[in-house]
Amino acid sequence: MSTTDPALMTAEDLLAHYATRRLSPVEALKAVTERVARMNPWVNAFACLNPRAIQQAGESEARWMAGRPMGALDGVPATVKDLLNLAGFPTRRGSRATDATPATEDSPSVLGLKQAGAVIIGKTTTTEFGWKSPGDCPLHGITRNPWDRARTPGGSSSGAGAAAAACFGPLHIGTDAGGSIRIPAAWCGVVGVKPSFGRVPQWPLGAFSGVAVAGPMARSVRDSALMLNALARHDRRDPFCLPDDARDWRDGIEGGVRGLRVAVVRRQGFDAFCDAEGWAALDAAAAALESQGAIVEEAEPALPDVRAIFGRVWGVALARLVAGIPEERRALLDAGILEVARDQSSMTAAEFLGAEALRIEAAHAMAQFHAGFDLLLTPCTPTAAIAADQPTLHPQQALWRDWAPWTFLFNLSRQPAISVPVGLDSAGMPRAVQVAAALYRDDLALRGARALEAAVQAPAAPDL
């Protein structure tokens, strides 16, 4: 997306303009903040804004003028989800039950952005503790989809998805424990990357630490890969993070899919719902990859009903979270969290360890499946974005039916998966598919996502 409006430019375009002095980081930030001032009152994407952003943009501008940019993202506006620590700002996690004391140090992914020179413009909203997909929380209220204010942007990275779609900067950090990057990316018409587990370090670890990752949300696959360069840096605070992979994740991204084996997967261990327009989007995406030389066939991995596995992981995490909240504050929590925690609080340690053993079996099944396929192509969400104002009823059923039936498998298996926008449906709302690769083959997932992005008519930014 190249345009004369800096707010609509990709990060790569902004950096090219900075290098030739056709545009300055201050001018870019002012274009973004003008959109924020005009549209955020109804989008509600921000938990808080950074009052020092304009100063930081000015410092970046001085570095570019001196020919000494600080890093690969110097002067690029970016946002941070409010599940991650940003030094000097509270980490409220969308909850009235949390402490408003500012964090004293940055989370690893935030530190990576800062070291690359990005200008942090604010923290974006999240569902409370990242527990669900509809984009509302007790602390900040309802975040709305820029494509249709009556619909949710999705969650739990609700503000990041909405900010990306509204062009409140080109780069946004989300987190994903069951689809929380990919669902809002799909519903907002942007790219959402769930990296391999451990690729992007995290600290402190959250409620869903065994399956959660942090990753990029952006308006293009190339920007997502550029952002991953800054995020995927070893940090000793995270005992599970991978060693540094000294690469630019854009290397090979334009390699195409000719000769790659792509499985179109319509069942992931149970019969998940997808509406007719979602299946049509999947078929069109498969045809687009086949037209570029991919070897495409229908296939189904040999999986158990993974709902039972993820349900226990999700439920135990929420039960543990609630148990850690002082009793006098628990009434401040989202009622749905309390419902799930109550239903799962009787789970025994043996039952939970049994679920972990089944998770490992599912991961093994996916590894075996990838012996025959380079990439998987699946739906990303069951439908387009759902209503923003509807109450969250029966959350445990909604998880499988309405929110995450197509996404949570890849958290259990820990492999990379990317939501790629593929156009608009008959109601003018974004639709997306999901591209996944084997564990640690983030390069292949990005390459497949980029090939698909180049082949389809992805939605432009909404007309706001």
Side-chain angles (χ1 to χ4, degrees):
M1 181 189 299
S2 182
T3 175
T4 56
D5 182 350
L8 304 185
M9 290 182 181
T10 66
E12 286 190 320
D13 285 339
L14 287 177
L15 291 163
H17 279 67
Y18 296 164
T20 57
R21 300 187 183 177
R22 289 175 290 172
L23 181 69
S24 77
V26 170
E27 291 169 328
L29 181 64
K30 286 182 176 178
V32 168
T33 54
E34 186 278 330
R35 288 180 71 87
V36 172
R38 180 160 49 91
M39 292 175 287
N40 194 59
W42 67 265
V43 175
N44 191 31
F46 285 97
C48 61
L49 292 168
N50 177 14
R52 295 189 63 245
I54 190 66
Q55 176 186 334
Q56 292 164 2
E59 292 166 355
S60 172
E61 181 172 321
R63 291 191 292 268
W64 280 105
M65 292 297 290
R68 294 192 297 272
M70 177 179 177
L73 299 176
D74 203 349
V76 177
T79 72
V80 174
K81 182 180 180 180
D82 194 30
L83 288 184
L84 301 171
N85 285 349
L86 174 61
F89 296 82
T91 305
R92 298 301 305 274
R93 301 180 176 87
S95 180
R96 295 177 296 173
T98 54
D99 191 347
T101 302
T104 57
E105 66 177 13
D106 295 313
S107 288
S109 53
V110 177
L111 183 63
L113 279 188
K114 286 186 174 181
Q115 290 177 336
V119 175
I120 309 298
I121 60 176
K123 299 195 78 175
T124 52
T125 58
T126 175
T127 65
E128 189 169 29
F129 293 103
W131 84 278
K132 66 175 184 176
S133 291
D136 62 89
C137 70
L139 184 61
H140 296 115
I142 297 173
T143 300
R144 298 185 179 276
N145 195 313
W147 289 89
D148 181 346
R149 67 181 67 195
R151 304 204 197 199
T152 182
S156 64
S157 303
S158 46
C167 300
F168 296 166
L171 304 179
H172 310 270
I173 304 180
T175 64
D176 190 314
S180 288
I181 285 174
R182 291 159 289 158
I183 294 167
W187 284 351
C188 290
V190 300
V191 175
V193 177
K194 186 204 86 67
S196 293
F197 184 84
R199 179 71 67 200
V200 175
Q202 299 188 87
W203 192 260
L205 299 178
F208 305 98
S209 57
V211 293
V213 299
M217 299 177 72
R219 296 192 301 274
S220 75
V221 176
R222 288 188 61 90
D223 268 8
S224 299
L226 173 65
M227 188 178 181
L228 188 59
N229 291 340
L231 304 185
R233 291 285 180 257
H234 180 81
D235 190 301
R236 61 182 174 81
R237 290 175 289 177
D238 182 354
F240 303 111
C241 75
L242 298 171
D244 277 336
D245 190 329
R247 70 163 76 197
D248 182 335
W249 288 98
R250 293 171 297 177
D251 289 347
I253 203 169
E254 303 292 348
V257 291
R258 182 168 298 280
L260 295 186
R261 299 158 298 173
V262 178
V264 178
V265 176
R266 300 178 187 271
R267 193 175 188 277
Q268 298 176 167
F270 67 102
D271 293 317
F273 175 71
C274 183
D275 66 13
E277 292 197 74
W279 290 126
L282 181 69
D283 291 339
L289 293 179
E290 190 168 36
S291 72
Q292 295 185 70
I295 303 164
V296 178
E297 62 181 277
E298 303 263 343
E300 180 182 329
L303 290 165
D305 187 337
V306 289
R307 290 175 295 183
I309 307 171
F310 190 81
R312 289 183 175 183
V313 172
W314 185 59
V316 166
L318 292 179
R320 180 171 173 264
L321 186 153
V322 170
I325 300 288
E327 190 169 355
E328 65 274 13
R329 291 189 179 185
R330 290 178 191 169
L332 300 173
L333 293 170
D334 192 315
I337 291 181
L338 296 172
E339 177 184 335
V340 176
R342 181 186 65 248
D343 291 348
Q344 298 294 335
S345 61
S346 62
M347 187 183 302
T348 66
E351 288 172 331
F352 179 74
L353 290 174
E356 175 62 8
L358 290 172
R359 185 196 69 75
I360 294 170
E361 287 185 20
H364 173 74
M366 293 306 295
Q368 294 295 104
F369 190 67
H370 276 287
F373 296 99
D374 301 294
L375 297 171
L376 274 68
L377 190 66
T378 79
C380 193
T381 56
T383 65
I386 60 179
D389 297 279
Q390 65 186 21
T392 299
L393 302 175
H394 311 298
Q396 293 171 86
Q397 289 76 32
L399 178 69
W400 319 128
R401 184 186 65 239
D402 305 322
W403 303 348
W406 296 102
T407 52
F408 68 80
L409 166 65
F410 301 108
N411 296 86
L412 294 174
S413 64
R414 299 183 171 180
Q415 63 195 97
I418 302 176
S419 175
V420 184
V422 292
L424 303 179
D425 66 14
S426 58
M429 293 301 294
R431 299 307 296 253
V433 297
Q434 184 173 218
V435 175
L439 184 62
Y440 306 135
R441 291 308 308 269
D442 304 69
D443 58 321
L444 265 185
L446 288 164
R447 181 174 152 194
R450 172 61 189 138
L452 182 57
E453 177 185 60
V456 302
Q457 185 62 44
D463 184 7
L464 300 174

